Amino acid sequence: MASGFSVSRYVPEQGSWARLTARDSLVRRLDWPLLGAAFALSVLGSLLVWSATRNRDQLTQGDPYFFLFRHVLNTGIGLALMIGTIWLGHRTLRGAVPILYGLSVLLVLAVLTPLGATVNGAHAWIKLGGGFSLQPSEFTKITIILGMAMLLAARVDAGDQLHPDHRTVAKSLGIAVIPMAIVMLMPDLGSVMVMAVIVLGVLLASGASNRWVFGLLGAGAAGAVSIWQLGLLDDYQIARFAAFANPALDPAGVGYNTNQARIAIGSGGLTGTGLFEGTQTTGQFVPEQQTDFVFTVAGEELGFLGAGLIIFLLGVVLWRACRIARETTELYGTVVAAGIIAWFAFQSFENIGMTLGIMPVAGLPLPFVSYGGSSMFAVWVAIGLLQSIRVQRPMSA
């Protein structure tokens, strides 16, 4: 066995699971295009984060490599988490879902206590000391996917049902509603939006009745209107939506970020100004450029071709994830993969869209590219889950 991992396959003639031969080793069965695309995005992210922060002494305490080192470290930890996830396997994690879910709920609850900290208007962080912090909502995305998949697929994979029944769907929605409500109280509207899309993706993949999907879409629309009418949004959130609806509104204030982002991307042209040569980036005109607006660095310094490469690599990740979801023979694996696809697709579209002015600013990182440990750890765990689904899928003899 390669790398010391224990991987099995189903042999119909024996009616049992057998250890894979060297020919079917773990290394051969990994989805290398998926892994390569995700790693390439993290490498590109390291360069873009470095370019965005190397001249910002107020953030780096005079060390131009401060964010670069941390981004590389976060990527390394993320890769280790991916390997650990593959080693454990998504089926093993299936049995630990109640524990993981409970821990994730406790962590998001901890944000609402004195342990929580506010960053950019969202009280969504836990300060760990030494300049490190944790954003529990990133890990909650994973536990929502695993928890809903565990319930929705249990009786289907056992052969008792063809599709999840209404009672099972209702229970699975309860798993999602609890952490979403807590995250909404922070308030972290961007993360709630991602979780809502994850829920829809999971339900669609599970084969649940379309009445649930249409019902949730209607409830979501009604809830959004109610939140707006009741004034439950914070002032900074209302301002972001107002700036999205009217880009000319307060260009030196609430509309400053998006205006500067579009200027940065537009100035890159086809091939860009060159890495570390962007005037908008070196001039520090775009706020939060290492996190939420990292795509503007690519647009300015790498141009249309470099920005297009990032979109292409994200497309490869989604394509391979879709293939994994389609090829697995167990509903649990299909639902987990679908939840990850919905998560990556929406968050990528929202992040890139807000820099282009086609989506409101929601404070969401670009997967694998933006600086941030919690996000990096979560997306690499998701890659580990996808690889585990591919590696452990049943094979013919």
Side-chain angles (χ1 to χ4, degrees):
M1 285 296 298
S3 307
F5 289 95
S6 178
V7 184
S8 302
R9 68 174 179 181
Y10 186 75
V11 182
E13 290 79 1
Q14 299 178 7
S16 62
W17 289 83
R19 187 181 294 272
L20 289 174
T21 64
R23 180 183 177 187
D24 294 318
S25 65
L26 172 74
V27 173
R28 290 174 59 88
R29 287 170 61 80
L30 287 175
D31 192 313
W32 287 102
L34 171 64
L35 182 59
F39 184 72
L41 285 167
S42 290
V43 171
L44 279 171
S46 298
L47 296 173
L48 299 178
V49 167
W50 186 20
S51 179
T53 59
R54 62 193 182 92
N55 292 325
R56 303 200 176 194
D57 294 339
Q58 73 278 14
L59 294 177
T60 65
Q61 293 87 51
D63 180 6
Y65 301 100
F66 180 84
F67 281 91
L68 172 64
F69 173 77
R70 290 199 172 196
H71 190 83
V72 172
L73 177 62
N74 290 337
T75 302
I77 296 173
L79 287 167
L81 290 172
M82 178 198 70
I83 293 172
T85 302
I86 299 172
W87 181 75
L88 287 171
H90 67 292
R91 294 194 183 98
T92 300
L93 289 173
R94 184 176 188 169
V97 165
I99 297 174
L100 296 174
Y101 176 80
L103 287 174
S104 70
V105 171
L106 288 176
L107 283 174
V108 291
L109 278 173
V111 174
L112 301 180
T113 71
L115 295 174
T118 301
V119 178
N120 296 329
H123 193 77
W125 303 82
I126 297 176
K127 292 293 185 180
L128 301 177
F132 292 94
S133 58
L134 182 72
Q135 189 177 11
S137 58
E138 291 294 330
F139 304 104
T140 304
K141 298 169 187 175
I142 297 174
T143 56
I144 286 176
I145 292 171
L146 292 176
M148 292 187 69
M150 180 189 69
L151 283 180
L152 292 169
R155 298 185 65 180
V156 176
D157 284 340
D160 297 334
Q161 295 177 343
L162 292 177
H163 306 288
D165 56 31
H166 294 305
R167 184 176 181 181
T168 301
V169 174
K171 288 180 179 179
S172 71
L173 291 176
I175 287 178
V177 166
I178 295 173
M180 287 175 66
I182 299 171
V183 173
M184 191 65 192
L185 292 174
M186 293 179 181
D188 186 357
L189 184 59
S191 293
V192 172
M193 291 166 58
V194 175
M195 293 174 190
V197 173
I198 286 173
V199 170
L200 288 176
V202 164
L203 287 183
L204 286 170
S206 71
S209 172
N210 288 334
R211 284 180 289 178
W212 283 102
V213 176
F214 291 123
L216 288 175
L217 289 174
V225 173
S226 299
I227 289 172
W228 182 272
Q229 293 294 329
L230 295 174
L232 299 179
L233 295 177
D234 281 0
D235 291 340
Y236 82 94
Q237 292 173 321
I238 296 174
R240 285 177 174 180
F241 282 107
F244 168 67
N246 181 12
L249 177 67
D250 194 11
V254 66
Y256 178 81
N257 288 23
T258 52
N259 285 332
Q260 293 301 320
R262 287 195 291 270
I263 291 172
I265 293 174
S267 65
L270 179 63
T271 58
T273 59
L275 194 62
F276 310 128
E277 300 296 330
T279 56
Q280 290 291 112
T281 299
T282 57
Q284 305 177 24
F285 290 103
V286 184
E288 306 301 330
Q289 204 168 14
Q290 75 275 17
T291 54
D292 299 348
F293 288 90
V294 71
F295 189 76
T296 63
V297 186
E300 180 181 26
E301 298 187 347
L302 304 181
F304 177 80
L305 295 179
L309 175 62
I310 290 177
I311 296 174
F312 171 77
L313 291 171
L314 288 168
V316 171
V317 171
L318 293 174
W319 163 53
R320 301 306 298 182
C322 288
R323 184 167 181 174
I324 289 171
R326 185 179 69 248
E327 291 181 350
T328 184
T329 58
E330 58 177 6
L331 182 61
Y332 177 69
T334 298
V335 172
V336 170
I340 295 171
I341 293 165
W343 165 15
F344 285 4
F346 177 77
Q347 190 160 314
S348 299
F349 179 78
E350 165 60 31
N351 177 277
I352 295 173
M354 71 183 187
T355 65
L356 299 175
I358 61 173
M359 292 292 286
V361 176
L364 292 172
L366 185 60
F368 305 101
V369 182
S370 292
Y371 174 79
S374 299
S375 173
M376 187 68 76
F377 303 158
V379 294
W380 277 109
V381 168
I383 293 296
L385 287 170
L386 290 171
Q387 295 285 10
S388 173
I389 293 167
R390 175 180 169 83
V391 166
Q392 297 187 12
R393 74 181 191 269
M395 296 176 60
S396 58

